């Protein structure tokens, strides 16, 4: 019975209020009086942040309240009825819009009901999905913070007709739904009064600044860590043996892999002059890999100089072969960390003293062998002559035999000189190979240090 009675008075009140009411004019008794509109914004959800097009999509609850001078009643006359809910298109509504709107849809706000109180206060709560323009600074992507403004103001009424008052110092974040990509660090509100060039009257507006911090874990594991791991492969190209034929191909493969990641970042970022931090890291790494590939080609040319090249300069022998080879633990080509002298000592210890003496005797110089052969021949010829008393013609045969031995000795000397020249040329090529190996190790550590410091620098930005 009570509800039916209130319903009866509500119909009566509605008919009396809107009998001569017009929603086309500003509801003030004095036209010179300013109508105050209180604005409150509640952020419910961030729908999307389009960095490339610089558009922020957000789901908002917009609350507006004002006093209508023509919609008042005495609640005692209507059985204590203090408020009614009616469609919003029946009453006058302020034309408050989002100034920095970036949506093609210019439709009106959702036509929800308004709450009308007996003292003339109207409260209008309307949900809205807004798309606003936002200047996105991606200089520190993916460790960046963004500030997006939402500016609300009347489109036709100036400050002398409708004044906007923000009910809170910031937007309401109590009903915000956590976003997977962004963290909300605040939404302060500031009222501005601006005089535009078209008009002399002031136009007030309320600007809500949405402070966003990007959650960088996704980009660290999908864009940054793979790049760091790939970049550490570039210095290892110097460690590959030059004869493997894979040194240059490794550098080119790493360069192509980084190019793919660079294109992925370029598709996300806006085409602006501000290069993101991860893009700078990619470019620096690609430059380093290009330099390492070029140095690899130069070092391979040194490795394949061969015996026809010029001898290694004296300064290179002192600086590279003597000092740098010891610093970087580079041994002769074909050797490992075990010293060859120790290997020979171990072999001699296993074979005994007789084996070592026998080996030293076998390694004697060919000249000493030739002298021993000549002495042996002379002794044999002398003994033959003494034993049989050979004279005359037999002496000529002996002389011819000695001449044959002399020709044989000359041939042996020629062969020995050829072998000696071949060993000298081979030693020259081995020296160039060792120079290339030392330079490989030198640049390997240089590029390892560069990659390490670059990785520490970009990870430090994350912290």
């Amino acid at each position: 019975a009570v509800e039916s009675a209130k319903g009866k008075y509500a119909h009566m009140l509605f008919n009396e209020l809107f009998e001569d009411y017009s929603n086309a004019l500003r509801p003030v008794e004095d036209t010179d009086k300013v109508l105050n509109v209180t604005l409150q914004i509640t952020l419910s959800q961030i729908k999307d942040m389009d960095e490339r097009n610089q558009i922020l999509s957000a789901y908002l609850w917009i609350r507006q309240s004002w006093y209508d001078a023509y919609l008042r009643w005495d609640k005692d006359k209507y059985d204590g009825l203090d408020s009614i809910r009616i469609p919003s298109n029946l009453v006058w509504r302020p034309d408050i819009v989002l100034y920095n709107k970036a949506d093609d849809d210019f439709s009106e706000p959702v036509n929800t009901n308004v709450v009308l109180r007996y003292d003339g206060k109207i409260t209008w709560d309307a949900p809205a999905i807004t798309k606003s323009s936002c200047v996105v600074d991606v200089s520190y992507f993916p460790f960046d913070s963004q500030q997006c403004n939402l500016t609300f103001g009347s489109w036709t009424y100036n400050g002398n007709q409708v004044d906007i008052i923000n009910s809170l110092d910031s937007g309401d974040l109590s009903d915000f739904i956590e976003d997977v990509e962004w963290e909300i660090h605040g939404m302060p509100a500031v009222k501005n009064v601006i005089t535009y060039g078209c008009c002399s009257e002031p136009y007030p507006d309320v600007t809500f600044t949405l402070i966003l911090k990007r959650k960088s874990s996704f980009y660290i594991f999908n864009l940054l860590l793979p790049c760091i791991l790939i970049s550490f492969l570039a210095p290892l190209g110097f460690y590959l043996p030059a004869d493997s034929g894979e040194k240059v191909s490794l550098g080119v493969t790493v360069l192509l892999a980084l190019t793919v990641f660079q294109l992925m970042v370029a598709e996300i970022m806006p085409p602006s002059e501000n290069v993101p931090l991860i893009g700078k890291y990619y470019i620096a790494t690609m430059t380093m890999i290009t330099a390492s590939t070029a140095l690899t080609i130069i070092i391979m040319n040194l490795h394949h100089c061969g015996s026809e090249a010029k001898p290694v300069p004296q300064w290179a022998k002192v600086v590279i072969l003597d000092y740098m080879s010891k610093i970087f633990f580079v041994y002769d080509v074909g050797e490992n960390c075990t010293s060859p002298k120790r290997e020979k000592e171990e072999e001699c210890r296993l074979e005994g003293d007789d084996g070592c003496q026998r080996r030293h005797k076998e390694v004697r110089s060919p000249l000493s062998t030739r002298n021993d052969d000549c002495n042996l021949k002379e002794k044999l010829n002398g003994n033959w002559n003494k034993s049989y008393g050979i004279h005359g013609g037999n002496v000529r045969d002996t002389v011819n035999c000695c001449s044959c031995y002399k020709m044989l000795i000359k041939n042996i000397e020629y062969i020995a000189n050829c072998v000696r020249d071949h060993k000298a040329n081979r030693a020259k090529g081995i020296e160039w190979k060792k120079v290339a190996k030392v330079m490989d190790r030198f640049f390997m550590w240089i590029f390892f240090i560069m990659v390490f410091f670059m990785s520490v620098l970009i990870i430090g930005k994350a912290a």
Side-chain angles (χ1 to χ4, degrees), residues 227 230 251-267 282-283 285-287 289-290:
C227 176
I230 290 173
V252 174
T253 304
V254 172
L255 187 62
L256 291 176
L258 287 177
T259 304
V260 173
F261 283 101
Q262 175 68 21
L263 292 176
M264 292 175 60
V265 175
E267 290 179 358
Y282 284 161
I283 292 172
T285 306
M286 292 169 67
T287 304
I289 294 173
T290 304

Side-chain angles (χ1 to χ4, degrees), residues 43 108 135 162 185 227 231 250 263 325 344 352 364 375 400:
L43 178 63
E108 295 181 355
V135 180
V162 174
H185 287 184
C227 176
S231 61
L250 176 62
L263 292 176
S325 62
K344 291 180 180 180
R364 288 186 302 173
N375 293 332
N400 292 331

Side-chain angles (χ1 to χ4, degrees), residues 424-439:
N425 292 332
R426 185 171 177 273
K428 189 193 305 180
I430 290 175
E431 284 184 346
W432 279 115
K433 288 183 179 181
K434 188 174 181 180
V435 169
K437 192 173 181 181
V438 173
M439 297 306 295

Side-chain angles (χ1 to χ4, degrees), residues 336-355:
N336 53 15
C337 297
T338 307
S339 175
K341 293 182 180 180
R342 295 180 181 176
E343 292 179 355
K344 291 180 180 180
E345 291 176 358
E346 291 177 358
E347 291 178 1
C348 290
R349 193 178 299 111
L350 293 174
E351 295 179 1
D353 297 334
D354 296 337

